[in-house]
Amino acid sequence: MSRLSNMLCDYDPRFQEPLARVREAVSLVLMVLAVWEVVRRLAVRLMEESLAVRAPQPELWPVCGRCRRWLRSKGFQPRTLHTLFGVIGWRRRVGRCPNGCKGSQVAPLDQALGLVPHQRTGAEVQWMGCLLAVFVPYETARRLLRQLTGVELAAGTLWGWVQQVGQRVMVQLEGELRALAAGELPAVEPREAELEALPLVLGADGVMVPFRPHPRTAEGKTRWREIKVAILARLGARLTREATRVTRLCQRRLVAVLGTIDDLSPRLWLEAVRQGIRTAVQVVWLSEVVGVCGACSSASSRRSGRWRF
């Protein structure tokens, strides 16, 4: 075995099995998969050791929110969490009100790590699961997540994560729209100087989308509703291998709403301010967008129009 393999086996005998698969791999693909298993196990051990170092550090206990008595340590209690590398486990101090007030139990290390009570899955796993669910069905996303991380969960769990993220984003968006209506403009999204010098392209259109009449069931007659969609991008260019100059959309942003143009307008203006419309050297409005990329590369598909807000 190599020196590194020997060191890992001496560190933890449980590395012997995955390292044996690395040595016995008959193809590079199998070797990569075997090495990934070693990396995952090593990452779990590193995180557990780091948490074990943090756990014994002294804690400054707060007072109870009900009786105002100082919380007391109840000793170390175990905690587990599903992460991208696997299940990690550690022990940390847990404190509670000496009067046993309901809801007074706290784990300061959990709070410092950004964990909430009863959380079983890391935020990074939820982020990856939601990202996969954007592009593929929930069942497919579940299988891909298991293949990539080894985390096993139900498709309904993914659906619930997406709903939670959507609710948080909607609350944030509603707050931003209220601030915009009050005259408070959002911060401009940072971008490179090269992008800042490019024209800002905006376009909007509507598309009919089928909806189910009853949530989470295919029963009933399909309802067709219009989605208003807008795109914002910087209009750049690149050279092909044949030295042909072709149009390229840079820093694309999408805005969509189930509603009318009046519902889309404030959302589009909010994103337009973020994309620097107030300082853009040139703004191009596409009043008819048939194909987003094709519309920007064909002069015949452009038509001047007024932007109403």
Side-chain angles (χ1 to χ4, degrees), residues 185-191 196 234 251 270-279:
L185 298 179
V188 177
E189 184 175 334
R191 66 183 59 86
E196 188 69 28
R234 293 285 171 162
Q251 197 167 353
L270 180 71
E271 188 59 36
V273 174
R274 282 203 188 99
Q275 298 309 312
I277 191 173
R278 292 161 60 87
T279 58

Side-chain angles (χ1 to χ4, degrees), residues 246-263:
V246 296
T247 303
R248 178 187 179 189
L249 294 182
C250 307
Q251 197 167 353
R252 289 173 291 182
R253 298 295 182 266
L254 187 68
V255 180
V257 63
L258 175 61
T260 65
I261 188 64
D262 294 330
D263 299 317

Side-chain angles (χ1 to χ4, degrees), residues 1-274:
M1 291 192 299
S2 66
R3 182 180 178 182
L4 179 58
S5 297
N6 288 330
M7 291 175 58
L8 290 175
C9 290
D10 293 339
Y11 170 71
D12 190 341
R14 287 178 291 183
F15 282 103
Q16 293 181 359
E17 181 181 351
L19 287 172
R21 290 198 292 270
V22 175
R23 295 192 304 270
E24 299 168 359
V26 297
S27 67
L28 185 60
V29 173
L30 294 178
M31 184 179 295
V32 170
L33 294 177
V35 170
W36 175 240
E37 178 62 26
V38 176
V39 171
R40 287 176 53 191
R41 294 195 183 192
L42 181 60
V44 169
R45 290 303 306 272
L46 287 174
M47 287 188 290
E48 289 179 341
E49 287 188 0
S50 178
L51 291 171
V53 172
R54 296 188 188 187
Q57 296 179 0
E59 299 288 355
L60 181 61
W61 298 102
V63 297
C64 176
R66 292 193 174 186
C67 66
R68 310 305 296 175
R69 293 192 59 181
W70 291 99
L71 303 187
R72 294 180 182 178
S73 175
K74 305 296 291 185
F76 289 87
Q77 295 186 12
R79 178 77 187 259
T80 60
L81 191 73
H82 288 270
T83 72
L84 287 178
F85 297 106
V87 180
I88 62 173
W90 70 98
R91 298 178 65 85
R92 77 278 193 248
R93 282 195 179 93
V94 174
R96 191 175 183 181
C97 176
N99 291 335
C101 295
K102 185 177 181 180
S104 62
Q105 181 169 300
V106 297
L109 181 57
D110 290 358
Q111 296 177 348
L113 294 172
L115 301 177
V116 298
H118 311 296
Q119 181 179 347
R120 301 173 57 186
T121 308
E124 76 286 349
V125 179
Q126 298 180 14
W127 173 81
M128 180 174 287
C130 292
L131 185 61
L132 291 172
V134 170
F135 299 98
V136 296
Y138 290 112
E139 180 61 29
T140 304
R142 180 191 72 83
R143 294 175 180 270
L144 290 174
L145 188 64
R146 182 184 60 184
Q147 184 71 22
L148 293 171
T149 67
V151 176
E152 182 71 43
L153 48 82
T157 301
L158 274 178
W159 182 88
W161 289 350
V162 172
Q163 301 305 307
Q164 293 173 7
V165 172
Q167 291 173 2
R168 291 199 300 267
V169 171
M170 287 304 299
V171 171
Q172 177 183 345
L173 176 61
E174 291 172 358
E176 293 174 342
L177 290 175
R178 287 194 298 268
L180 182 66
E184 181 180 346
L185 298 179
V188 177
E189 184 175 334
R191 66 183 59 86
E192 300 176 358
E194 296 179 356
L195 290 176
E196 188 69 28
L198 296 177
L200 177 61
V201 182
L202 305 96
D205 207 341
V207 58
M208 300 302 295
V209 178
F211 281 82
R212 294 176 177 177
H214 307 291
R216 306 189 68 177
T217 176
E219 298 180 356
K221 186 177 180 180
T222 300
R223 298 171 55 193
W224 290 87
R225 304 185 65 180
E226 186 178 24
I227 303 292
K228 295 295 185 182
V229 183
I231 187 171
L232 305 91
R234 293 285 171 162
L235 187 59
R238 66 179 180 86
L239 293 178
T240 64
R241 294 181 179 179
E242 295 76 18
T244 303
R245 185 180 178 88
V246 296
T247 303
R248 178 187 179 189
L249 294 182
C250 307
Q251 197 167 353
R252 289 173 291 182
R253 298 295 182 266
L254 187 68
V255 180
V257 63
L258 175 61
T260 65
I261 188 64
D262 294 330
D263 299 317
L264 177 67
S265 293
R267 290 165 170 79
L268 181 54
W269 175 242
L270 180 71
E271 188 59 36
V273 174
R274 282 203 188 99

